[in-house]
Coordinates of all heavy atoms in Angstrom, one line a residue:
K56 N 3.9 -11.5 -5.5 CA 4.5 -12.9 -5.7 C 3.9 -13.8 -4.7 O 3.7 -13.5 -3.5 CB 6.0 -12.8 -5.6 CG 6.7 -14.2 -5.8 CD 8.1 -14.0 -6.1 CE 8.8 -13.3 -4.9 NZ 10.3 -13.3 -5.1
I57 N 3.5 -15.1 -5.1 CA 3.1 -16.1 -4.2 C 4.2 -17.2 -4.3 O 4.5 -17.7 -5.4 CB 1.7 -16.7 -4.6 CG1 0.7 -15.6 -4.4 CG2 1.4 -17.9 -3.7 CD1 -0.7 -16.0 -4.8
E58 N 4.7 -17.6 -3.2 CA 5.8 -18.6 -3.2 C 5.4 -19.8 -2.3 O 4.7 -19.7 -1.3 CB 7.1 -18.0 -2.6 CG 7.6 -16.9 -3.4 CD 8.9 -16.3 -2.8 OE1 9.0 -16.2 -1.6 OE2 9.8 -16.0 -3.6
F59 N 5.8 -21.0 -2.8 CA 5.6 -22.2 -2.0 C 6.9 -22.9 -1.7 O 7.8 -23.0 -2.5 CB 4.8 -23.2 -2.9 CG 3.3 -22.8 -3.1 CD1 3.0 -22.0 -4.2 CD2 2.4 -23.2 -2.2 CE1 1.7 -21.6 -4.4 CE2 1.0 -22.8 -2.4 CZ 0.7 -22.0 -3.5
Y60 N 7.0 -23.3 -0.4 CA 8.2 -24.0 0.1 C 7.8 -25.2 0.9 O 6.7 -25.2 1.4 CB 9.1 -23.1 0.9 CG 9.6 -21.9 0.2 CD1 9.1 -20.6 0.4 CD2 10.7 -22.0 -0.7 CE1 9.6 -19.5 -0.3 CE2 11.2 -20.9 -1.4 CZ 10.7 -19.6 -1.2 OH 11.1 -18.5 -1.8
A61 N 8.7 -26.1 1.0 CA 8.5 -27.3 1.9 C 9.7 -27.4 2.9 O 10.8 -27.0 2.5 CB 8.4 -28.6 1.1
Y62 N 9.4 -27.8 4.1 CA 10.4 -28.1 5.1 C 10.3 -29.6 5.5 O 9.2 -30.1 5.7 CB 10.2 -27.3 6.3 CG 10.4 -25.8 6.1 CD1 9.4 -24.9 5.6 CD2 11.7 -25.2 6.3 CE1 9.7 -23.6 5.3 CE2 11.9 -23.9 6.1 CZ 10.9 -23.0 5.6 OH 11.2 -21.7 5.4
D63 N 11.5 -30.2 5.6 CA 11.4 -31.6 6.0 C 11.6 -31.7 7.5 O 11.6 -30.7 8.3 CB 12.5 -32.4 5.3 CG 13.9 -32.0 5.6 OD1 14.1 -31.2 6.5 OD2 14.8 -32.6 5.0
I64 N 11.7 -32.9 8.0 CA 11.7 -33.2 9.5 C 13.0 -32.6 10.1 O 13.0 -32.3 11.3 CB 11.7 -34.7 9.7 CG1 11.6 -35.0 11.3 CG2 12.9 -35.4 9.2 CD1 10.4 -34.5 11.9
D65 N 14.0 -32.3 9.3 CA 15.2 -31.6 9.8 C 15.2 -30.1 9.6 O 16.2 -29.5 9.8 CB 16.4 -32.2 9.1 CG 16.6 -33.7 9.3 OD1 16.5 -34.1 10.5 OD2 16.9 -34.5 8.3
M66 N 14.0 -29.6 9.2 CA 13.8 -28.2 9.0 C 14.6 -27.6 7.8 O 15.0 -26.5 7.8 CB 14.1 -27.4 10.3 CG 13.1 -27.6 11.4 SD 11.4 -27.3 11.0 CE 11.4 -25.5 10.8
K67 N 15.0 -28.5 6.9 CA 15.6 -28.0 5.7 C 14.6 -27.6 4.7 O 13.5 -28.2 4.5 CB 16.5 -29.2 5.0 CG 17.3 -28.7 3.9 CD 18.2 -29.9 3.4 CE 19.1 -29.4 2.2 NZ 19.9 -30.5 1.7
K68 N 14.9 -26.4 4.0 CA 13.9 -25.8 3.1 C 14.1 -26.3 1.7 O 15.3 -26.4 1.2 CB 14.1 -24.3 3.2 CG 13.1 -23.5 2.4 CD 13.4 -22.0 2.7 CE 12.4 -21.1 1.9 NZ 12.8 -19.6 2.2
Y69 N 13.0 -26.5 0.9 CA 13.1 -27.0 -0.4 C 12.1 -26.2 -1.3 O 11.0 -25.8 -0.9 CB 12.7 -28.5 -0.5 CG 13.6 -29.4 0.2 CD1 13.3 -29.7 1.6 CD2 14.6 -30.0 -0.4 CE1 14.2 -30.6 2.3 CE2 15.5 -30.9 0.3 CZ 15.2 -31.1 1.6 OH 16.1 -32.0 2.3
D70 N 12.5 -26.0 -2.6 CA 11.6 -25.4 -3.6 C 10.5 -26.4 -4.0 O 10.8 -27.6 -4.0 CB 12.4 -25.0 -4.8 CG 13.3 -23.8 -4.5 OD1 12.9 -23.0 -3.7 OD2 14.3 -23.7 -5.1
V71 N 9.3 -25.9 -4.3 CA 8.2 -26.8 -4.6 C 7.6 -26.4 -5.9 O 7.4 -25.2 -6.2 CB 7.1 -26.7 -3.5 CG1 5.8 -27.4 -3.9 CG2 7.7 -27.3 -2.2
N72 N 7.2 -27.3 -6.7 CA 6.4 -27.1 -7.9 C 5.0 -27.8 -7.7 O 5.0 -28.9 -7.3 CB 7.1 -27.7 -9.2 CG 8.2 -26.9 -9.6 OD1 8.3 -25.7 -9.3 ND2 9.2 -27.5 -10.3
I73 N 4.0 -27.1 -8.1 CA 2.6 -27.7 -8.0 C 2.4 -28.4 -9.3 O 2.5 -27.8 -10.4 CB 1.5 -26.6 -7.8 CG1 1.7 -25.9 -6.4 CG2 0.1 -27.2 -7.9 CD1 0.9 -24.7 -6.2
I74 N 2.1 -29.7 -9.3 CA 1.9 -30.5 -10.5 C 0.5 -30.4 -10.9 O 0.2 -30.1 -12.0 CB 2.3 -32.0 -10.2 CG1 3.8 -32.1 -9.7 CG2 2.2 -32.8 -11.5 CD1 4.8 -31.5 -10.6
N75 N -0.5 -30.8 -10.1 CA -1.9 -30.6 -10.3 C -2.7 -30.8 -9.1 O -2.1 -31.2 -8.0 CB -2.4 -31.6 -11.4 CG -2.4 -33.0 -10.9 OD1 -2.7 -33.4 -9.8 ND2 -1.9 -33.9 -11.8
Y76 N -4.0 -30.4 -9.1 CA -4.8 -30.6 -8.0 C -6.3 -30.9 -8.4 O -6.7 -30.5 -9.5 CB -4.8 -29.5 -7.0 CG -5.1 -28.1 -7.5 CD1 -6.4 -27.7 -7.5 CD2 -4.1 -27.2 -7.9 CE1 -6.8 -26.4 -8.0 CE2 -4.4 -26.0 -8.4 CZ -5.8 -25.6 -8.4 OH -6.1 -24.3 -8.9
D77 N -7.0 -31.5 -7.5 CA -8.4 -31.8 -7.7 C -9.2 -31.1 -6.6 O -9.1 -31.6 -5.4 CB -8.6 -33.3 -7.7 CG -10.1 -33.7 -8.1 OD1 -11.0 -33.0 -7.6 OD2 -10.3 -34.7 -8.8
R78 N -9.8 -30.0 -6.9 CA -10.5 -29.2 -5.8 C -11.6 -29.9 -5.2 O -11.9 -29.8 -4.0 CB -11.0 -27.9 -6.4 CG -11.3 -26.9 -5.3 CD -10.1 -26.5 -4.5 NE -10.3 -25.5 -3.5 CZ -10.8 -25.8 -2.2 NH1 -11.0 -27.0 -1.9 NH2 -11.0 -24.9 -1.4
K79 N -12.3 -30.8 -5.9 CA -13.5 -31.5 -5.4 C -13.0 -32.5 -4.3 O -13.6 -32.7 -3.3 CB -14.3 -32.2 -6.5 CG -15.4 -31.4 -7.1 CD -16.3 -32.3 -7.9 CE -17.6 -31.5 -8.3 NZ -18.5 -32.3 -9.0
L80 N -11.9 -33.2 -4.6 CA -11.4 -34.1 -3.7 C -10.4 -33.4 -2.6 O -10.1 -34.1 -1.6 CB -10.6 -35.2 -4.4 CG -11.4 -36.1 -5.3 CD1 -10.5 -37.1 -6.0 CD2 -12.5 -36.8 -4.6
D81 N -10.1 -32.2 -2.9 CA -9.1 -31.4 -2.1 C -7.8 -32.2 -2.0 O -7.2 -32.2 -0.9 CB -9.7 -31.2 -0.7 CG -9.2 -29.8 -0.2 OD1 -8.2 -29.3 -0.7 OD2 -9.8 -29.3 0.8
L82 N -7.3 -32.7 -3.1 CA -6.0 -33.4 -3.2 C -5.1 -32.6 -4.2 O -5.6 -32.2 -5.2 CB -6.2 -34.8 -3.7 CG -6.8 -35.8 -2.7 CD1 -7.2 -37.1 -3.4 CD2 -5.9 -36.1 -1.5
C83 N -3.8 -32.5 -3.8 CA -2.9 -31.8 -4.6 C -1.6 -32.5 -4.7 O -1.1 -33.0 -3.6 CB -2.6 -30.4 -4.1 SG -1.3 -29.4 -5.0
L84 N -1.0 -32.7 -5.8 CA 0.3 -33.3 -6.0 C 1.4 -32.3 -6.2 O 1.2 -31.4 -7.1 CB 0.3 -34.2 -7.2 CG 1.6 -35.0 -7.5 CD1 2.0 -35.9 -6.4 CD2 1.5 -35.7 -8.9
I85 N 2.4 -32.3 -5.4 CA 3.5 -31.3 -5.5 C 4.8 -32.1 -5.7 O 4.9 -33.3 -5.4 CB 3.6 -30.4 -4.3 CG1 3.9 -31.3 -3.0 CG2 2.4 -29.6 -4.1 CD1 4.2 -30.4 -1.7
Y86 N 5.8 -31.4 -6.3 CA 7.1 -31.9 -6.5 C 8.1 -31.1 -5.7 O 8.1 -29.9 -5.8 CB 7.5 -31.9 -8.0 CG 8.9 -32.4 -8.3 CD1 9.3 -33.7 -8.1 CD2 9.9 -31.4 -8.6 CE1 10.6 -34.1 -8.3 CE2 11.2 -31.8 -8.9 CZ 11.5 -33.1 -8.7 OH 12.9 -33.5 -8.9
V87 N 8.8 -31.8 -4.8 CA 9.8 -31.1 -3.9 C 11.1 -31.4 -4.4 O 11.7 -32.5 -4.3 CB 9.6 -31.6 -2.5 CG1 10.4 -30.8 -1.5 CG2 8.1 -31.6 -2.1
K88 N 11.8 -30.3 -5.0 CA 13.1 -30.5 -5.6 C 14.1 -30.9 -4.6 O 14.2 -30.3 -3.5 CB 13.5 -29.2 -6.3 CG 12.6 -28.7 -7.4 CD 13.0 -27.4 -7.9 CE 12.0 -26.9 -8.9 NZ 12.4 -25.5 -9.4
K89 N 14.9 -31.9 -4.9 CA 16.1 -32.4 -4.2 C 15.8 -33.1 -2.8 O 16.7 -33.6 -2.2 CB 17.1 -31.2 -3.9 CG 17.6 -30.6 -5.1 CD 18.6 -29.5 -4.7 CE 19.2 -28.8 -6.0 NZ 20.2 -27.7 -5.7
L90 N 14.5 -33.2 -2.5 CA 14.1 -33.9 -1.3 C 14.2 -35.4 -1.5 O 13.7 -35.9 -2.5 CB 12.7 -33.6 -0.9 CG 12.1 -34.3 0.3 CD1 12.9 -34.0 1.6 CD2 10.6 -34.1 0.5
Q91 N 14.9 -36.1 -0.6 CA 15.1 -37.5 -0.8 C 14.6 -38.2 0.5 O 15.3 -38.2 1.6 CB 16.6 -37.9 -1.0 CG 17.1 -37.4 -2.3 CD 16.5 -38.2 -3.5 OE1 16.5 -39.4 -3.5 NE2 16.0 -37.4 -4.5

Side-chain angles (χ1 to χ4, degrees):
K56 184 165 57 172
I57 296 176
E58 297 179 321
F59 290 90
Y60 298 105
Y62 292 87
D63 67 7
I64 186 65
D65 298 315
M66 294 301 291
K67 186 175 179 181
K68 185 178 179 180
Y69 297 87
D70 290 327
V71 170
N72 288 336
I73 296 170
I74 305 302
N75 67 42
Y76 58 84
D77 186 319
R78 195 63 180 89
K79 272 195 172 182
L80 297 179
D81 214 342
L82 289 167
C83 176
L84 178 66
I85 59 175
Y86 175 68
V87 188
K88 300 176 185 178
K89 299 183 180 180
L90 176 66
Q91 295 290 310

